[in-house]
Structure formats: C-alpha cells, structure tokens
Amino acid sequence: MTNEYIVVEGETYNDALTKGLKSLNLTDDQVKVEVLDEKKGFLFKKGLFKLKITPISISYDTDIQSDKNINDTKESGFYLDYCPDGVYLTITDTPSKVSIGNVLDFLTKKHVKDYDYEKIARCLENKNGDPEKIAPFQDEFLIDSSLQIDVSKNKLEVTILLTEPSGGKILSATEIVDNLNKNNIKFGIINKKIEEVVNRQVFNQSILIAQGKAAISGEDGQIIYPFNDETESRNTIIDEDGRIDYKNLDRIRNVKAGTLLIEIIPPTEGINGVDVYGNEIVAKNGKEVLIKKGKNVVESEDSLKIYAAKDGEVHFVDGTIYVDEVININGDIDNETGNIQFNGKVNIKGNVKSGFKVEAEGDIEIGGVVEGATLVSKGNIIIHRGVQGNNQAYLQCSGNLNAKYLENASVKCGGNVESDAILHSDVTTKGKIIVSGKKGLIVGGDIKAGKEVRANVVGSNMGTITKIEVGIDPEEKKYYEQLKVEMLDIEKNIDNSKKAIELLNKISKKQQLTNEKQELLVKSLKTYKVLNAKYDDITKELQELSARFKEPNNGKIHVITIIYTGVKVTIGSSSRQIYDELSNCTLYVKDGDVSIGPYEK
C-alpha cells in the first residue's frame, strides 16, 4: 500500500511540525518531513511554513510465501522446478505476457546448462500451464539476497533495497546493520524497520531505514510596526452613500511624545542537526533587523523599543525611523491631500481649496490663498497671500493671525491680527487688530478687539455699514450676551412654575389633591426654588460683568487717513455712530462718551 501523509501549515517550521506530529500522534523520529513552501515573517506580516509529513511505514507484499520450496525458483510469470529427471519450466501467467527473452535471461542468471530452446518456445505456446522439461538434471545455482544502500544528497535519509533471493539465503537484520556500519552510517538507524523488512521478506522495494535530524534555521528578527510602511497606501474612507471621501484621507500619522513607534523581536538561534553519518549539521542563526534611528526618537535600554521623543508625524523610510515636527505640503490642500490634522506645524506652499480643513497643534503657514476653508491652529496662522472666503472661510488660532488680506471670512484669534486689508469679515480677537500697508483698509463686517484697532481707512465713501468694537474681551462680551438670553429663559420658567404652584394651592383649598397633583405640586416647588437660586447667580454675574464693562477703558481706535460715515464705534460700553468723516484721529472714552482726539502713534 502507499504511505499516507498529511500537509500542515504554521507561522514557523516548529509550529507546523508540532501541529502535524500531534495530528498523527507520532514523534519526529517516526516521520519523514518535506518543506513544501517557506515564507519567513517580515515587519508585521506573519510567516508561513507548509510541510508534508509522512509516517515512516513499509508497504509489504502479502503474496510472499514464507514457506517457499528452496528447490523452486519463481520469476514473474514463470518458475523452474529442479527435479531428479531434469529441470522443468512452468508458465504461470498468460503465455503472451511472458517473453522468451525474459526466460532465457533468467536461465543464464541461474546457470542452467543444456536447455532446449524449442521446448521453451513450445512451453510458451502451450496455454494449459503444464510443466515442460527443458534441461537435463543438474544442481540448482543458488542466488542469495543482496543489499543496495542509497544515501540522499542531503545525507539525511538512507534507503535500502533488498533483492529477492533465488534459492539462496536472505540477509539477516544483523547483516544489514553491519553493512550500514561498514558504510559509516551510524545515526538514525531504525532497527525495527530493518527487522520488519527481513521478517516480512520485503524485496525489491526502496525502504527508508535511517533518518538524520535536519538543522532548523533560527527565525529572523522581526519588527512590530503599528503604522503603515511609507510605500503602502492609506485606507480609503467610504461615506454612507458609498462614495470615496476625498477630504478625510488619513494621510498623516500623528504621534505624541512617548508613543511606541517600533518594537523589535530579536532573532532566534538555529538548532543544529545530525546527518546519517553522525556529523553535526550547523544551523543558521536568524538575521538581526537593522533599524536606523533618525531625529526625534529614543530607544529603550534593551534597544528593542523605539519611542517618539516629540509630537509630530512618524516616518519609516529605507529602514530609518524618525518623527517630523513640521509637515510640508508642496502643493494645494485639495482632493489629493484631503484634510490635514497634525500634531506639529504645517507648512503649505500652495492654496487651501474650499471645503477643506487644516488643523494643527502648532503654527499653520500658507504660501498661497485660502478659499472657503477652515483653519484651526493652537499656534499662529500666517497666510502670505490672503483669504478669499466667499462667506465660508473660518480661521481660528490661539496665537497671532497674519494675512495679506481677509475677505468675506470669519476669524477668531487669541492674539493679534495683522493684515493689509479686512473686507466684509467678522474678526474677533483678544489682542490688537492692526491693518497697515499700502491700503490699511477696513470695510464692512464686524470687528472686535480686546485692546485696540489701527487702520489707515475705516468704512467707505459708499457708507458701507462697518462695526468697530474695542476695549472688552470678546469672549467675555459673548458670554455676557449668552447669560442675558439664559436669564430671559429662566424668568419664563419661573413664571410658569409660579402659576402652577398658585393653581394647585387654589385647588387644594377646595378639595384634597390627588396623589398625581400632590407630586406635581412638590416638583413645582422644587423647580421654583432651583430656578430662583440660578436666577440670583446669573443676576450677580451679569452685574459684575456690566460693572467691569463700565470701568475706565483703555481701548482705542486709531485711524490715519479717514473714517467714513456708516461706521459704528463701540469702546467698552460706550458707542458712537459716525455721521461726519473723520481723519488722522484716535477715538477713546472720556467721561463715559466716545471722544475724538489727534492720532496717537
């Protein structure tokens, strides 16, 4: 019968071998192993080993007769009988399947003398299978069994082929082992297999009877890398309608200081093997991974882990790991780049197209034009050309904002705003607004500055409505307005609660309240109490803010060339509508009113 085998897979050679041995319930010296496929792991990719595992077993010929007459010599399809009156030939197979050449070759091999060719031919023609005397009496020439030894090229396997004797003796198991030893075969001999070959008289079959121990190469070092390789594409984001979201392309790999960037798994040592001659087979050790450390990274004491030293974008290029604190975009922010969200500073050489968003923990610097886009920075925003917002642009920064011009945009700034022109925009900043340069123009919109505003020209000769407000923290002013809205809502709820309480008290004087109405009365009383307490708190807070707004104010508006009519000026809590054109002046608060004085540099 044919030896059965199984094919198994594993991440490593040992994984696959262990799985196969467990499945067969055998040990490694009871199987023959052949590697069908080998793919070692790399980076975060797992390895793959595919093995063919065959149990070491013998196919036996059950037709062999252990009590065969030593005076009978049997060959495939015919046999000889050595009788007292001569040598007889008997054809056991269909005569047409036995050639006269095969018979003559066998007779020569057996040294049969004086055979009769014509009788041999007649015997082959005879279809009844009767014995035919073909030679006179003679002693049989006995042929002993012989041993053929074959060693594989890798010296890990030895097979033997035992020829069938013809009247002679069979080699013993001891004789076979002695032959192996004479050929220096010492390791991995399977004595039980040799005994089975002899006892079962397994002839003319190649049988595996010795197996060395193959060397097992060490596994190469690996890298566990939680980010995609530079050459790999990012994930494509599909929206709910099944369309590709070209704005959120996930192209930047942000990391914080202390983030684990790479973990290195050291290589393992190989396991030496032994060939059938008893010689050691030296195994290869696994290769180390070589990682170059670039800027802004640090490694652990054992050098097996690499961390980000600073916030930024992680890069892994040509075996070098590093973190960039600045990301440089050489073109525009559009469908090609998608939205940008970065832990550090963002430099953009081109434009920022409408509908896109740039967020940065550091500064944002733009060489081109910002269209109807959103910029959010915890640092400064610098725009070398300007903003054409189309009433869609929104710019927010914790630091300063510097732009060539701002047009139809909304700005919220924690520091100062500087520009050559601000046109029809809403600008709010805690610091100063300085509009200088050739134009130095503020036209239209709502301009709020916590400290002061400087410009060459405010408004236009067309009487464009322009609001300028200084001297109050815009965030406090906004909070003040929110509190007033909230107070109106509380007043309405207090009034509703009061009416409910009065109605329920009136009913209770006429009849006993039901359980449901009693619960409603208790709930209304609690609500009324809570709302009144909240009302008192908001009233107090509004009074404090209002008093602060009325304090002497240092906020000023400085205009070099002209303030046109249509401009409304608010400094602190004092306001003034400009009805006559003013030039080269500074507006400030004096005795609770907005006054006009000479221009202050």
Side-chain angles (χ1 to χ4, degrees):
M1 64 178 181
T2 304
N3 290 358
E4 296 180 354
Y5 65 86
I6 63 171
V7 176
V8 292
E9 294 182 357
E11 293 181 17
T12 65
Y13 177 92
N14 285 337
D15 287 342
L17 180 59
T18 301
K19 188 185 298 182
L21 293 177
K22 185 176 181 181
S23 176
L24 294 170
N25 194 25
L26 297 173
T27 59
D28 58 356
D29 62 346
Q30 295 177 311
V31 296
K32 174 183 177 182
V33 181
E34 180 181 352
V35 179
L36 299 179
D37 193 12
E38 176 181 352
K39 294 178 182 176
K40 294 188 177 180
F42 179 69
L43 294 180
F44 54 88
K45 296 179 182 176
K46 296 179 179 178
L48 172 66
F49 281 77
K50 183 183 289 185
L51 306 181
K52 176 181 177 183
I53 302 179
T54 307
I56 300 173
S57 59
I58 304 175
S59 298
Y60 301 112
D61 185 356
T62 57
D63 294 331
I64 294 177
Q65 301 296 319
S66 59
D67 58 347
K68 182 173 71 171
N69 190 336
I70 197 167
N71 292 321
D72 292 344
T73 301
K74 188 174 182 181
E75 189 70 2
S76 178
F78 63 91
Y79 65 89
L80 299 176
D81 283 322
Y82 288 79
C83 299
D85 62 337
V87 179
Y88 286 80
L89 171 65
T90 302
I91 305 299
T92 60
D93 206 343
T94 305
S96 61
K97 293 184 178 180
V98 180
S99 70
I100 194 167
N102 291 340
V103 175
L104 295 176
D105 287 343
F106 187 67
L107 294 175
T108 301
K109 178 180 176 183
K110 292 290 289 181
H111 297 271
V112 176
K113 300 174 182 178
D114 300 327
Y115 56 80
D116 189 328
Y117 182 86
E118 290 181 359
K119 289 183 178 181
I120 295 172
R122 186 167 56 248
C123 185
L124 287 170
E125 292 174 0
N126 187 0
K127 297 184 177 179
N128 57 20
D130 293 334
E132 181 76 29
K133 182 179 177 180
I134 62 168
F137 169 77
Q138 53 194 281
D139 292 328
E140 180 181 1
F141 181 79
L142 303 179
I143 302 174
D144 294 336
S145 175
S146 64
L147 181 67
Q148 296 177 11
I149 301 173
D150 183 52
V151 180
S152 63
K153 289 184 178 180
N154 62 7
K155 302 177 183 179
L156 288 175
E157 293 181 350
V158 177
T159 58
I160 61 170
L161 186 145
L162 195 62
T163 64
E164 185 175 0
S166 181
K169 64 177 183 178
I170 301 174
L171 287 174
S172 68
T174 301
E175 288 173 323
I176 292 175
V177 172
D178 289 342
N179 269 280
L180 293 174
N181 291 335
K182 287 178 182 178
N183 285 274
N184 293 318
I185 296 169
K186 305 173 182 177
F187 183 83
I189 296 174
I190 309 170
N191 291 294
K192 184 178 179 181
K193 182 76 70 65
I194 296 173
E195 291 174 0
E196 289 178 358
V197 169
V198 173
N199 294 336
R200 297 294 300 274
Q201 297 186 13
V202 181
F203 301 122
N204 302 320
Q205 295 184 37
S206 291
I207 306 298
L208 179 69
I209 53 82
Q211 189 169 30
K213 181 179 179 183
I216 301 175
S217 297
E219 295 184 11
D220 292 341
Q222 297 183 40
I223 301 173
I224 298 176
Y225 182 52
F227 304 96
N228 292 329
D229 188 270
E230 290 286 281
T231 58
E232 293 187 15
S233 60
R234 305 293 190 271
N235 294 329
T236 301
I237 298 175
I238 309 297
D239 64 18
E240 294 179 354
D241 298 326
R243 295 172 299 186
I244 295 177
D245 185 351
Y246 287 103
K247 291 182 179 178
N248 298 297
L249 297 180
D250 187 27
R251 291 186 179 273
I252 298 176
R253 293 154 301 190
N254 288 303
V255 295
K256 293 286 188 180
T259 300
L260 176 64
L261 304 180
I262 277 182
E263 183 173 358
I264 299 171
I265 299 178
T268 61
E269 293 184 356
I271 301 174
N272 292 342
V274 183
D275 67 19
V276 294
Y277 297 111
N279 300 317
E280 185 177 42
I281 304 173
V282 180
K284 292 181 179 179
N285 293 327
K287 296 179 181 178
E288 292 186 5
V289 291
L290 300 177
I291 300 297
K292 298 177 183 177
K293 294 175 288 297
K295 61 182 180 181
N296 300 325
V297 298
V298 293
E299 64 181 8
S300 59
E301 291 184 4
D302 58 9
S303 300
L304 296 180
K305 293 181 180 180
I306 298 177
Y307 299 89
K310 295 185 178 180
D311 295 353
E313 181 184 19
V314 60
H315 295 275
F316 187 37
V317 184
D318 296 333
T320 300
I321 186 83
Y322 63 95
V323 174
D324 252 338
E325 294 180 273
V326 179
I327 182 172
N328 294 296
I329 308 296
N330 292 325
D332 298 336
I333 301 300
D334 53 18
N335 286 336
E336 183 67 23
T337 63
N339 294 332
I340 300 296
Q341 186 175 11
F342 186 51
N343 286 343
K345 178 180 178 180
V346 177
N347 283 335
I348 301 167
K349 290 187 177 180
N351 306 319
V352 183
K353 298 293 186 177
S354 294
F356 288 90
K357 187 174 185 179
V358 178
E359 296 179 89
E361 296 288 325
D363 297 346
I364 298 175
E365 186 168 358
I366 299 166
V369 174
V370 176
E371 299 178 2
T374 298
L375 307 182
V376 178
S377 167
K378 291 186 178 180
N380 305 311
I381 294 178
I382 303 100
I383 305 169
H384 291 282
R385 292 187 62 184
V387 179
Q388 295 175 348
N390 195 30
N391 293 320
Q392 294 178 336
Y394 176 74
L395 284 67
Q396 178 182 325
C397 63
S398 300
N400 300 323
L401 171 66
N402 192 312
K404 186 70 174 177
Y405 62 89
L406 298 169
E407 182 175 354
N408 292 311
S410 178
V411 174
K412 183 179 179 181
C413 178
N416 299 327
V417 175
E418 294 188 39
S419 180
D420 286 357
I422 300 178
L423 310 174
H424 307 287
S425 297
D426 292 340
V427 180
T428 300
T429 180
K430 291 187 175 184
K432 301 176 182 180
I433 296 178
I434 301 171
V435 185
S436 55
K438 292 182 179 179
K439 294 182 178 180
L441 178 65
I442 299 177
V443 177
D446 197 347
I447 308 299
K448 298 183 179 71
K451 296 181 180 179
E452 66 177 31
V453 172
R454 286 185 179 270
N456 292 343
V457 176
V458 178
S460 72
N461 55 10
M462 302 294 294
T464 304
I465 295 175
T466 306
K467 297 179 181 179
I468 307 289
E469 185 174 332
V470 297
I472 296 178
D473 186 332
E475 291 296 323
E476 285 192 347
K477 183 67 178 293
K478 182 179 179 180
Y479 180 59
Y480 178 79
E481 297 299 332
Q482 289 174 346
L483 286 177
K484 290 201 296 185
V485 172
E486 187 178 353
M487 173 170 271
L488 290 175
D489 189 52
I490 290 175
E491 286 177 346
K492 185 186 297 184
N493 290 330
I494 288 175
D495 186 55
N496 291 336
S497 298
K498 186 176 180 182
K499 288 179 180 179
I501 292 169
E502 290 175 350
L503 177 61
L504 291 169
N505 283 331
K506 186 176 181 181
I507 294 174
S508 66
K509 291 178 181 179
K510 295 181 181 180
Q511 63 186 41
Q512 186 174 356
L513 296 176
T514 64
N515 291 337
E516 183 179 352
K517 288 182 178 179
Q518 285 179 352
E519 290 178 2
L520 179 60
L521 178 59
V522 172
K523 184 177 180 180
S524 297
L525 288 169
K526 288 182 179 179
T527 301
Y528 183 76
K529 183 178 180 181
V530 170
L531 289 173
N532 273 289
K534 194 170 185 180
Y535 182 85
D536 292 340
D537 292 339
I538 292 178
T539 300
K540 182 178 179 181
E541 200 166 1
L542 284 172
Q543 289 172 347
E544 290 175 354
L545 288 171
S546 180
R548 193 181 310 162
F549 295 159
K550 292 179 181 179
E551 290 176 357
N553 198 291
N554 294 323
K556 295 182 179 181
I557 300 171
H558 308 279
V559 180
I560 297 176
T561 305
I562 189 170
I563 302 180
Y564 287 102
T565 59
V567 175
K568 182 179 180 181
V569 172
T570 300
I571 303 177
S573 58
S574 303
S575 298
R576 179 168 180 165
Q577 185 72 42
I578 304 301
Y579 295 107
D580 298 311
E581 294 180 1
L582 304 172
S583 62
N584 199 30
C585 61
T586 292
L587 282 69
Y588 60 96
V589 173
K590 183 178 180 181
D591 298 330
D593 295 323
V594 176
S595 300
I596 302 169
Y599 178 77
E600 298 177 2
K601 293 183 179 181

